[in-house]
Amino acid sequence: MPSTSRDVADTAYVRRLNAQRVLTALRAGSAMSASELISATGMSRPTVHAAARHLIDLGWVAEAAADHGTSAPRRGRPSRVFAFRADAGHVLGIDVGAHTARAVLADLRGESVAERQITFDDPDVEARRRIALVRDLAAGTVHDAGFGPGHVLSVCVGTSGTISEAGVVRVRTGIPGFLDVDLRTAMAEGFGWHVTVENDCNLAAVAERWRGTAAGTEDFLCLLAGERLGVGVFTGGTLLRGHHNKARDLSFLKLMPGATLDGIGLLARRRGAELVAGPARRRTARTPRAAAAVLHDLVDGDPERVDAEAVFRAVREGDKAAAGILDQALDSTARAVATLSMILAPELVVVSGAVAAAGDVLLEPLRRAVGRIVDDVPRLAASPLTHRAVVTGALHHALQHTEGRYLDALAEAPSGVRP
């Protein structure tokens, strides 16, 4: 005689499977009629209605107006229409750097609903103060959207350095005083958030594959090259981590005479300031043809006003001296790309982060520099995400955790986010 408990278990399993199929279809697009769901899932009308009702009870689906963005026929009795509740909860992505921090709150489709950015007046601010400012930033971003902390289903924090599985910064970070900082605990305390912490280069690479120029690419490198030089690597469609998440360490550059782990932005700013200060110290009269004349004019002769963007703009306007220091700034990046290309054979190398906005002046000299080292230069591209790459990857990471904990598991929407 069949077991009653086994029958109940089988029924529960089928019900769960049907609900997951309907939820998958609804998450992939806009509102869908029952008829469209029948076509998309291959299930019967009663089964679709039962699955949709279950998802409504859980808080992840809502019934929409009959003409809400569907192609259902309008003759006869109108078909019921259902939509995924992307606003049933939100995720928070945070990018913590030495100079700035950025937070973005997004719905369950990854669309931004609120964001904030802060600049640290002192890049050497001690870790406890930096974390306090980031916590205020996060809470303020959620508040801007009109929500409380309980509405946030998952948080991902991106920062530089090697991150342990426990969310602790362990190895080499460009942020003063951030070694051995337990970011997961620090960001969750008092909020009750589910927090993950990830290396910023890895997140930038994830972002490129999600919404950037590496979509559909299996093997590529993603360079963050602003203040520090770092890389995220995808091989065979999988993020390369290695033992203790150390696979993307570029410390091999220390073995190369003259190479540095400083980023393109930092080197361009530093050498541009030296270039502007040189003639000023010698009190040399300037002429329209003088070295660094364009850069000098852009900053009114003040070395303190030189930043990477000023150098890039000077290159665009034909300043040959500025182009020369840019070539120097690209040297270590070229060595890193060439070395990794020989080992990993990537199809694509993406320059990401804020410096990607200068792709028009960066990519060609970088391509030439790499070509002087290796014969087979991979395709180079500038990220369209620029300074939002890390926080975009953090959103994707937070969404994945939310999907696993709530949507794929068909858990009930948490208290406070139900319709």
Side-chain angles (χ1 to χ4, degrees):
M1 181 175 179
S3 168
T4 302
S5 61
R6 176 63 180 272
D7 290 343
V8 171
D10 288 347
T11 300
Y13 173 76
V14 171
R15 182 188 187 199
R16 179 189 185 87
L17 183 63
N18 291 338
Q20 286 176 330
R21 291 168 70 182
V22 169
L23 184 59
T24 298
L26 291 174
R27 288 176 61 198
S30 56
M32 299 178 72
S33 69
S35 298
E36 289 170 326
L37 284 170
I38 291 168
S39 177
T41 64
M43 300 189 305
S44 68
R45 186 175 296 275
T47 303
V48 164
H49 282 165
R53 171 47 58 187
H54 181 49
L55 293 169
I56 290 172
D57 290 342
L58 291 174
W60 302 118
V61 166
E63 192 162 357
D67 60 349
H68 187 69
T70 75
S71 59
R74 300 192 179 207
R75 292 176 298 183
R77 184 178 179 181
S79 180
R80 296 175 67 185
V81 177
F82 305 97
F84 172 58
R85 290 193 60 227
D87 62 348
H90 289 78
V91 297
L92 187 64
I94 304 173
D95 173 15
V96 182
H99 297 271
T100 62
R102 178 178 287 102
V104 176
L105 187 74
D107 66 18
L108 297 181
R109 292 193 189 278
E111 301 304 319
S112 172
V113 298
E115 62 181 277
R116 282 191 181 190
Q117 176 180 324
I118 58 173
T119 299
F120 300 111
D121 294 333
D122 178 9
D124 294 321
V125 61
E126 58 102 11
R128 183 177 301 179
R129 175 59 177 162
R130 189 186 300 273
I131 290 172
L133 291 170
V134 173
R135 282 172 55 86
D136 289 345
L137 170 73
T141 304
V142 176
H143 182 268
D144 288 347
F147 303 128
H151 201 89
V152 178
L153 304 186
S154 184
V155 179
C156 178
V157 182
T159 193
S160 61
T162 298
I163 312 298
S164 75
E165 292 183 359
V168 179
V169 183
R170 290 298 189 195
V171 181
R172 194 173 72 82
T173 174
I175 303 177
F178 241 44
L179 279 177
D180 296 325
V181 170
D182 184 351
L183 272 179
R184 177 183 294 174
T185 299
M187 290 304 301
E189 186 177 3
F191 294 128
W193 290 338
H194 176 79
V195 178
T196 57
V197 184
E198 179 61 274
N199 171 263
D200 54 358
C201 297
N202 284 347
L203 291 179
V206 167
E208 287 305 322
R209 201 155 190 264
W210 182 35
R211 290 185 169 174
T213 194
T217 305
E218 298 286 297
D219 303 282
F220 71 96
L221 310 178
C222 180
L223 293 169
L224 283 182
E227 295 298 303
R228 299 281 288 178
L229 187 59
V231 64
V233 179
F234 266 82
T235 179
T238 302
L239 182 66
L240 185 63
R241 292 187 176 277
H243 186 57
H244 291 320
N245 293 327
K246 294 181 181 179
R248 20 138 296 281
D249 192 354
L250 297 180
S251 294
F252 63 79
L253 287 172
K254 296 178 181 179
L255 302 175
M256 303 178 183
T260 177
L261 290 169
D262 291 336
I264 298 168
L266 172 61
L267 293 173
R269 181 176 71 247
R270 181 184 297 161
R271 292 173 181 172
E274 293 171 354
L275 195 63
V276 170
R281 285 197 302 268
R282 295 192 300 269
R283 300 183 183 278
T284 302
R286 296 180 61 259
T287 70
R289 296 182 181 179
V294 175
L295 181 59
H296 193 283
D297 286 345
L298 288 174
V299 299
D300 292 330
D302 183 0
E304 297 294 324
R305 294 181 55 187
V306 175
D307 57 15
E309 179 52 39
V311 175
F312 300 149
R313 181 177 172 185
V315 175
R316 290 188 187 98
E317 296 183 15
D319 191 321
K320 293 184 178 180
I325 64 171
L326 180 57
D327 285 341
Q328 296 172 25
L330 289 168
D331 179 67
S332 294
T333 302
R335 297 194 204 189
V337 170
T339 303
L340 292 173
S341 294
M342 287 185 280
I343 298 170
L344 300 173
E347 173 187 349
L348 170 69
V349 175
V350 182
V351 177
S352 190
V355 297
D360 57 321
V361 297
L362 289 178
L363 294 184
E364 187 52 40
L366 179 59
R367 186 176 292 107
R368 290 197 303 267
V370 174
R372 288 193 287 269
I373 305 172
V374 296
D375 293 329
D376 189 10
V377 179
R379 180 165 60 93
L380 303 180
S383 169
L385 302 174
T386 61
H387 62 280
R388 296 175 60 86
V390 175
V391 78
T392 300
L395 288 175
H396 184 272
H397 202 282
L399 282 170
Q400 286 188 314
H401 278 267
T402 296
E403 289 169 4
R405 294 177 67 230
Y406 293 105
L407 300 178
D408 293 345
L410 286 185
E412 186 176 357
S415 176
V417 301
R418 298 291 303 281

